[in-house]
């Protein structure tokens, strides 16, 4: 299953719809960092494991999206490579901060000022945090990325259009 990233996304979305209906929740999306985590995980338990992970995430979410922090710790990847402490408090806080930055930029289509305003940050602080995670607001523009492909497409198929 790990070799078929698009299948993971399709199955995850299917399970979100199913479990949202069962629990009576309205869940509209899986955040981009969460999709990245799902596609990076090797899935030794295959589809059943993915189903259980999504079921748990649907139960835990408190808004209309599945976030990385709704996933089990084993799926939560450290945001900055080389951290060496993937399960520590700092790594988890950084993962949450990264996800919030990405979501704000995505929701505001790369509008740096609006994303900062939504997060309650100054433009300067937003810029410093984006630099920390190597985020570029241009990658979140309506048209997608500088190469013309949407961010989700690049996550699914890798930077050159093949499989990651």
């Amino acid at each position: 299953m790990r070799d078929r990233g698009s299948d993971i996304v399709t199955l995850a979305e299917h399970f979100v719809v199913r479990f949202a209906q069962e629990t009576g929740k309205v869940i509209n999306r899986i955040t981009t960092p969460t999709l990245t985590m799902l596609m990076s995980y090797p899935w030794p338990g295959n589809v059943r494991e993915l189903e259980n992970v999504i079921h748990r995430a649907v139960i835990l979410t408190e808004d209309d999206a599945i976030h990385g922090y709704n996933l089990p710790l084993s799926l939560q990847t450290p945001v900055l490579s080389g951290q060496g402490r993937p399960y520590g408090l700092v790594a988890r806080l950084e993962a949450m901060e990264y996800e919030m930055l990405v979501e704000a930029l995505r929701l505001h289509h790369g509008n740096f000022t609006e994303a900062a305003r939504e997060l309650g940050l100054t433009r300067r602080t937003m810029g410093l945090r984006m630099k920390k995670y190597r985020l570029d607001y241009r990658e979140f523009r309506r048209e997608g990325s500088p190469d013309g492909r949407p961010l989700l497409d690049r996550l699914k198929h890798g930077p050159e259009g093949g499989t990651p």
Side-chain angles (χ1 to χ4, degrees):
M1 193 165 92
R2 81 185 106 201
D3 299 329
R4 311 268 318 248
S6 61
D7 290 348
I8 292 170
V9 173
T10 302
L11 285 167
E13 289 171 345
H14 166 76
F15 292 138
V16 166
V17 169
R18 186 172 111 202
F19 293 126
Q21 287 174 344
E22 285 181 14
T23 59
K25 291 187 173 186
V26 176
I27 300 176
N28 298 319
R29 60 195 168 84
I30 303 172
T31 64
T32 303
T34 305
L35 289 172
T36 302
M37 289 178 202
L38 291 172
M39 291 187 301
S40 298
Y41 187 71
W43 297 107
N46 239 335
V47 177
R48 175 62 94 187
E49 184 180 8
L50 175 62
E51 181 179 21
N52 291 335
V53 164
I54 297 299
H55 191 190
R56 175 188 186 272
V58 167
I59 291 168
L60 291 176
T61 192
E62 296 178 355
D63 59 15
D64 70 336
I66 301 294
H67 301 277
Y69 52 83
N70 299 130
L71 300 178
L73 283 176
S74 59
L75 272 81
Q76 294 180 22
T77 55
V79 175
L80 299 174
S81 60
Q83 284 284 34
R85 52 180 198 276
Y87 304 116
L89 176 62
V90 172
R92 293 196 70 197
L93 290 172
E94 287 174 344
M96 189 178 295
E97 179 180 50
Y98 173 81
E99 184 169 341
M100 291 176 74
L101 290 168
V102 168
E103 277 303 295
L105 287 164
R106 188 184 65 74
L107 289 173
H108 294 286
H109 306 288
N111 185 319
F112 183 85
T113 303
E114 289 299 316
R117 184 175 295 127
E118 177 176 313
L119 295 171
L121 301 173
T122 64
R123 285 177 47 89
R124 177 170 163 38
T125 302
M126 180 76 171
L128 291 171
R129 292 187 180 174
M130 287 175 60
K131 183 177 179 181
K132 174 181 177 180
Y133 298 108
R134 297 183 189 107
L135 294 171
D136 185 344
Y137 69 91
R138 293 173 290 208
E139 292 186 12
F140 299 90
R141 295 289 183 186
R142 288 185 208 288
E143 299 80 35
S145 63
D147 65 3
R149 294 184 3 218
L151 181 62
L152 183 57
D153 183 52
R154 287 186 299 128
L155 289 172
K156 284 183 186 176
H157 304 291
E160 303 303 321
T163 54

